């Protein structure tokens, strides 16, 4: 209740579901993504719950964009209680087919973007002696799959960031955690939400409920790792 959140990748998919779920529980949010039109659409959905939503078009790979987003959240709400590092892109190719540009873009969005946002919210959180940083990682952040070199590397990296940061800032009252969803029905990797081949997959809302659980743990508890899969996912 009355918390404020920055949610990256909030223009669709899991980020959208988190924005809607958090507003239902009384949080205001700054919605980050590149598609202005979609951010407006999500902001409208959030406002239906009576909470504030500020669409903030930004690219998580650009430090100036990230710093501007955090400043805007502080101006608008006076504090950042929760950062959800959710923005991410897929890449599933044999390593010989991955160009250096593609490799670097996956690392920049999935890993460096989360580093930049975590870094930008730390001082304001440390000043208040509280805050939560939640990473939307992946089940393939802790195990590998063929054709997953770039994506797995980015998510293994994110796990490293999340775990190391968690231990670094815990004593300062800041809790850091990672959520590792399996196959989730979104627009991920240029696919369509609701496509028939995704029958039985996790819904974006299932992942949002996990984020809500992590975010609502009592102050003396850090839920630092959560993994969830659809029953139909065998591996
Ligand atoms: O994917 P999608 P998900 N700067 O494509 C944003 C992880 N995950 O919701 O910029 C800022 O529907 C993009 O916004 P826009 C996955 O790795 C998923 O499934 O406007 N934002 C959009 O809002 C990722 O970390 C599955 O295009 C940027 C959002 O990211 C997270 O879940 C399985 C951006 C992507 O929405 C959410 O992905 C798994 C940038 N440079 C982990 N680039 C799964 N779906 O199966 C992208 O294990 N975005």
């Amino acid at each position: 209740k009355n918390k404020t959140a920055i949610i990256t990748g909030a223009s669709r998919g899991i980020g959208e579901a988190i924005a809607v779920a958090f507003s239902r529980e009384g949080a205001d949010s700054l919605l980050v993504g590149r598609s202005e039109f979609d951010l407006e659409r999500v902001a409208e959905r959030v406002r239906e719950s009576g909470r504030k939503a500020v669409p903030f078009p930004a690219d998580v790979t650009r430090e100036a964009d990230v710093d501007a987003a955090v400043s805007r959240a502080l101006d608008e709400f006076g504090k950042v209680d929760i950062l959800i590092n959710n923005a991410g892109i897929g890449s599933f190719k044999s390593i010989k087919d991955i160009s250096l540009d593609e490799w670097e873009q996956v690392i920049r969005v999935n890993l460096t973007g989360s580093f930049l946002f975590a870094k930008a919210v730390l001082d304001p959180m440390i000043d208040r002696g509280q805050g939560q940083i939640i990473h939307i990682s992946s089940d393939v952040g802790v195990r590998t799959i063929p054709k997953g070199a770039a994506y797995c590397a980015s998510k293994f990296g994110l796990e490293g960031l999340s775990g190391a940061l968690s231990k670094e800032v815990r004593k300062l009252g800041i809790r850091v955690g990672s959520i590792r969803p399996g196959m989730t029905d979104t627009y991920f990797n240029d696919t369509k939400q609701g496509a028939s081949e995704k029958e039985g997959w996790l819904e974006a809302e299932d992942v949002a409920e996990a984020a809500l659980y992590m975010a609502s743990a009592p102050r003396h508890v850090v839920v630092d790792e959560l993994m969830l899969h659809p029953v139909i996912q065998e591996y």
Side-chain angles (χ1 to χ4, degrees):
K1 278 263 178 305
N2 296 320
K3 293 201 169 169
T4 67
I6 296 177
I7 303 167
T8 73
S11 56
R12 58 177 186 265
I14 291 170
E16 173 174 358
I18 291 175
V20 170
F22 275 41
S23 67
R24 194 188 64 218
E25 298 300 320
D28 298 323
S29 53
L30 186 95
L31 309 174
V32 177
R34 291 162 308 167
S35 333
E36 208 168 341
F37 179 83
D38 282 318
L39 290 175
E40 271 305 339
R41 181 184 59 77
V42 176
E44 279 307 315
R45 280 192 72 194
V46 166
R47 288 178 196 130
E48 281 166 19
S49 65
R51 303 307 309 191
K52 288 187 195 154
V54 178
F56 195 90
D59 185 329
V60 298
T61 67
R62 298 202 185 126
E63 190 169 23
D65 282 19
V66 172
D67 292 345
V70 173
S71 296
R72 180 68 193 280
L74 291 170
D75 288 349
E76 199 77 36
F77 307 128
K79 60 178 181 145
V80 177
D81 292 299
I82 304 164
L83 165 66
I84 310 278
N85 267 329
N86 163 74
I89 56 173
S91 165
F92 301 96
K93 287 181 180 174
S94 295
I95 199 153
K96 63 180 171 49
D97 297 327
I98 307 171
S99 67
L100 177 60
D101 277 354
E102 184 171 357
W103 170 272
E104 287 185 338
Q105 184 62 6
V106 173
I107 301 290
R108 270 200 296 267
V109 176
N110 296 0
L111 178 56
T112 310
S114 297
F115 156 73
L116 289 173
F117 260 103
K119 190 172 155 73
V121 297
L122 270 189
D123 275 344
M125 285 185 178
I126 289 169
D127 288 347
R128 292 178 63 230
Q130 59 177 293
Q132 280 179 288
I133 300 174
I134 296 175
H135 297 105
I136 305 301
S137 175
S138 175
D139 55 348
V140 299
V142 290
R143 63 178 178 79
T144 48
I145 49 168
K147 299 197 174 178
Y151 187 68
C152 291
S154 73
K155 294 296 187 178
F156 269 69
L158 187 59
E159 291 292 332
L161 167 69
S162 188
L165 181 62
S166 177
K167 283 159 193 118
E168 195 176 312
V169 297
R170 205 173 280 188
K171 284 198 205 75
L172 305 171
I174 300 162
R175 293 173 289 162
V176 182
S178 163
I179 296 176
R180 302 177 194 133
M183 295 167 354
T184 310
D185 178 14
T186 66
Y187 300 90
F188 185 64
N189 201 34
D190 294 325
T191 61
K192 283 231 155 51
Q193 197 166 38
S196 56
E197 64 270 20
K198 295 183 178 177
E199 178 99 37
W201 288 24
L202 296 176
E203 305 282 343
E205 289 72 19
D206 298 325
V207 184
E209 287 303 317
L212 212 46
Y213 173 74
M214 189 174 264
S216 48
R219 280 285 294 277
H220 68 288
V221 177
V222 55
V223 181
D224 41 15
E225 299 178 44
L226 266 180
M227 190 126 144
L228 61 157
H229 289 98
V231 169
I232 58 150
Q233 187 175 342
E234 287 169 2
Y235 53 88

